[in-house]
Amino acid sequence: MAEPTLVVRRKSRPASVRKRSRALVQPSAVCSPVARKRLSSGGERSPAEAPCSIDSEEDMFGDFDSFCGNDSLLAHLEDIEHKYQQDKNTDAQAAGDIVLGNLESGICQKKEDNFSTSENKIALKADKEDAFQINANDPVDSKQELTESALDDLPSSQLLYFGKMDEFSSGSRISPVSERSNQCVNSCSDKIRSPLSFCPDTDHRNRPTDFSSDSKLDLFKTESLKDHLKSAMTGNAKAQTLQVSKTKQLKEAVLSEEICVARKTIESPSVDIGPFYGLPSKVKDLFRQLRGIEKLYEWQHDCLMLESLQQRKNLIYSLPTSGGKTLVAEIIILQELLCRQKDVLMILPYVAIVQEKVRGLSSFGVELGFLVEEYAGSKGRFPPIKRRIKKSLYIATIEKGHALVNSLIETERINDLGLVVVDELHMLGEGSRGATLEITLAKILYTSKNTQIIGMSATLNNVGDLQKFLQAEYYTNNFRPVELKEYIKIRDTIYAVDSKTENGFTFSRLLNFKYSSNLEKADPDHIIALVTEVIPKYSCLVFCPTKKNCENVASMVCKYLKKEFRAHREKEKGDLIKNLKNIGNGSICPVLLQTIPFGVAYHHSGLTNDERKSIEEAYSAGVLCLLACTATLAAGVNLPARRVILRAPYVASDFLKKNQYKQMIGRAGRAGIDSAGESILIVQEKDKHLVQGLVNSPLENCYSNLLLELNKGMQSLLLSLVGLKIAVTHEEVDNFMCSTLLGVQQQLLSKEKSLSEITKEGLENLIEKGLLKGRISEKEHNSKCILTITPLGKATYKGSIDLAYCNLLYRELKKGLEGLILESNLHLLYLTTPYDMTSDFRPDWMIYLRQFNQLSTAEQKVADIVGVPESFITKKASGQAIRKNVDSAVVNRLYLSFVLYTLLKETNIWSVAEKFNMSRGYVQNLLNSAASFTSCVLHFCEELEEFWVYKALLTELTKQLTYCVKTELIPLMEVAGVLEARAKQLYNAGYKTVAHLANAHPGTLVKMIEHLSLRQAKQIVSSAKMLLSEKAEALQEEVEELLKVPTDIPGTC
């Protein structure tokens, strides 16, 4: 006969009434007589229902309901105890048997996760975790499992009581159920103490439990169950509430457990890869919460399931723009960080994209416990801090990624890098930056056999060469979430691009827009007709050949738009104008002031960083519906549109390349918003045949640039190979060169000379410059002549200094030591002004003289020291003839240092641009380049002992140039995504430190800060948390290093 059940029941009641009511016990169910919670009929109890603290108004059981039944509780207990002692053989079903599920088994149990793909409804099926439903009518024989959710809110004393009672119930024999119960209680107690301290341990789990039956039974006899229960419940009432929610702690424990399981699973050859591609289910939840991604596309699933990826082979994959390539890369990155516990390097083409990605992934880092570090501009630590616990995701530009890899090779830590992801892989074929990217990847391939390389691009053609270079598999798909329709416009006729026809075009329609004679003259290309078909309801991008053309198109369109366009989101557009005025300290571009009320703006490098960010945010939010932009937007941040118009098939004066064309039209069509995307290329009759070739031709091939970019390519590579001791003889260098893209393509690119001859010439050139030591001759070609690097050569490659300027920089720094003027930072600014910005620049001589005269006497001496006398400036300003030759590069460089000097004093790009008659975009670019170059000069000086005096000076100057704001704003601007205007808003609102931001509530930020969306607020808070965590980790590493006991203490064995 079944014994009566005792149930701890939670009843709903008014919040104001804190008393318990009695209810009948259903005698039909058989379960443990020990009290347990019963979940409500609605399923799992809401996490919001946390146990409340006990006060004098409540009964002693706090938030747990009282025991219930027809008879006295104690009488029930005595009855049960009596029956138990009469029948020892039924101890597994008696009062002492607590049926608790195997907690670890419940956590590790895989959840059924029907993660369907878009078309074929591919489902990833895993076992469903159904541990939260407790059926009171199930018999004991079913070995019902009570999982972690059922124990979430039990007080610690109750858990300890369960443990003790479990031992009693195991007196005469140990059943499998009771063994699991014991593990569950112990595991739960341990996790409450340290929620992240456990991982499945098979040996521990299968270890036999040793009990003494007689002693346990005797103890049970002497101590009444009634006494135990009374004692435990009294302890519950007196126990202090834990400061940290056990629900939260156990959730963290579940995440840690899932990561451990995923790590083991992903390392095994089995195809069963767990809840979410080998990752914890929390990752899927984060993609849903932070990105709004509910399911993957079919191609994304196929790509992630590739056998080559499971085997950790290198992979190149190519899809059209907007196909979702980045999501696949991010999932692979998270697998590496969380499951394989390796660092990851992500290489992106531009600083703005690096900063955007740092903001986007910081939220994942905060939630999943890894660090996100920015390597762009002047930011980045070389070598990076070696983390003992958390792993790092380095997000870097091409140049900073190369420097980072060099530092890891030098410190023999390259194997810590488990994965390298390269976005826009086609940039291998683009000038000096392509050469730097090729060098970086070649070094990784040569020095680390354990580092996986993933490359992605929308525009690849000669994939065979790239596969051979990267030793990679290839995956491609033509999938696009939104259909793209390509058109060209000649006069007032629009043709659809159709590769099946003879000339590549088929008639589509005539433009239906009435033009007056004046409008026809102002807009001969019918841009107004094309844009008004989509705006303001939908968005539109107009790509223009030049910056000036962007501004002219924006102004022209607004001049002829109807007044109704001004009414669309009028308030938000007024707020945008107000925000831009704040950025410019009261100044705003007159073109933007005219165009923004119509929802139109321009976007090019002539904007400041703050202006560009504000315009991009307004466009993304739909406040602006039309942007006239240059080609740089196509490869920059993601700003899609319903319609993309190409103003002309030119970039500046160069005819459009197929890769550029594909990048631009790829912005058409927004996934989840538009049903289709359109691109329209405006063509003049004279260019018709060229455009036919453009739209029907294949993509351009990707060729190595190591030979074309001699200083930043071949010679830079050879210098660093010897400096890093990757290759120190001519023979070893030849072997390395065969593994580069140039080595793969040498028959195409070096027909006149062999690769070995080119290498020999490069090494000899470096020896002549004093950067390498050794001898290379025909007779010694087959000998083992060792090459070594000179101190100057080492400083050059570690500082990433262009070989064309390294000797000049050394001479100028050496000369500076003879009489460095430190009354102000003008002399230092001259030494760190970028050389490559002086060639295409012509100073305004009247402004030059005016600025020179405003300098102090000591500061004017700087001009004499560098070789620009006052008389020269005066004569040039007055138009007199100059007999004495003065180096124009030095003259131009000094002028640019005047701009930087004024900028650091006034910290206002607008006023400095007006003062020197320059565009504010040029001043912004000069500032960014100077900050980056100053960081390079600092690393250069660190390698040369004679330049020790520059180290402290350049460290501070780098920080000033990086932020160029008042000192109090610098801490806030260290947070990714916070520029000067936003930093001022935050500071004025009382958020004065990174800690303030890290602990801020996003909703409160939105209320207190104008023009800040909730998404932006969340990103700022996450970025601040990540920065704070990174700094704390760095300090902890430093502490541990200091306290580390040396292994070579004299006198010890």
Side-chain angles (χ1 to χ4, degrees), residues 903-923:
L903 195 54
L904 288 185
K905 284 198 300 184
E906 298 185 9
T907 66
N908 187 304
I909 290 176
W910 270 88
S911 63
V912 174
E914 290 176 5
K915 191 171 287 187
F916 285 87
N917 196 26
M918 295 175 167
S919 74
R920 61 195 185 283
Y922 182 87
V923 175

Side-chain angles (χ1 to χ4, degrees), residues 601-673:
Y602 63 83
H603 184 289
H604 57 58
S605 61
L607 297 167
T608 66
N609 291 343
D610 283 291
E611 286 177 317
R612 191 181 301 118
K613 192 165 187 288
S614 293
I615 287 171
E616 288 169 358
E617 288 172 354
Y619 178 81
S620 298
V623 176
L624 297 176
C625 55
L626 173 65
L627 288 184
C629 51
T630 52
T632 52
L633 185 140
V637 292
N638 187 25
L639 295 176
R642 174 64 173 268
R643 176 175 289 180
V644 169
I645 300 169
L646 281 68
R647 172 75 176 74
Y650 291 91
V651 173
S653 57
D654 300 323
F655 192 77
L656 203 60
K657 295 178 181 177
K658 183 62 177 277
N659 287 350
Q660 293 171 322
Y661 172 72
K662 283 290 186 184
Q663 288 274 7
M664 291 180 190
I665 68 172
R667 294 298 181 196
R670 298 170 297 173
I673 300 175

Side-chain angles (χ1 to χ4, degrees), residues 114-151:
N114 290 332
F115 198 73
S116 60
T117 56
S118 58
E119 293 180 11
N120 293 334
K121 307 295 183 185
I122 295 175
L124 296 175
K125 294 185 178 179
D127 298 333
K128 188 165 186 176
E129 186 177 41
D130 194 21
F132 297 127
Q133 298 180 0
I134 302 174
N135 188 345
N137 295 317
D138 285 349
V140 173
D141 293 341
S142 68
K143 308 294 186 291
Q144 179 187 11
E145 295 184 354
L146 180 62
T147 61
E148 190 170 39
S149 177
L151 295 172

Side-chain angles (χ1 to χ4, degrees), residues 21 84 178 246 313 443 473 490 505 742 836 997:
S21 59
Y84 181 91
S178 58
K246 280 179 283 188
K313 292 182 180 178
K443 286 177 181 174
E473 302 290 319
I490 303 175
F505 308 134
L742 174 61
D836 55 3
L997 286 181

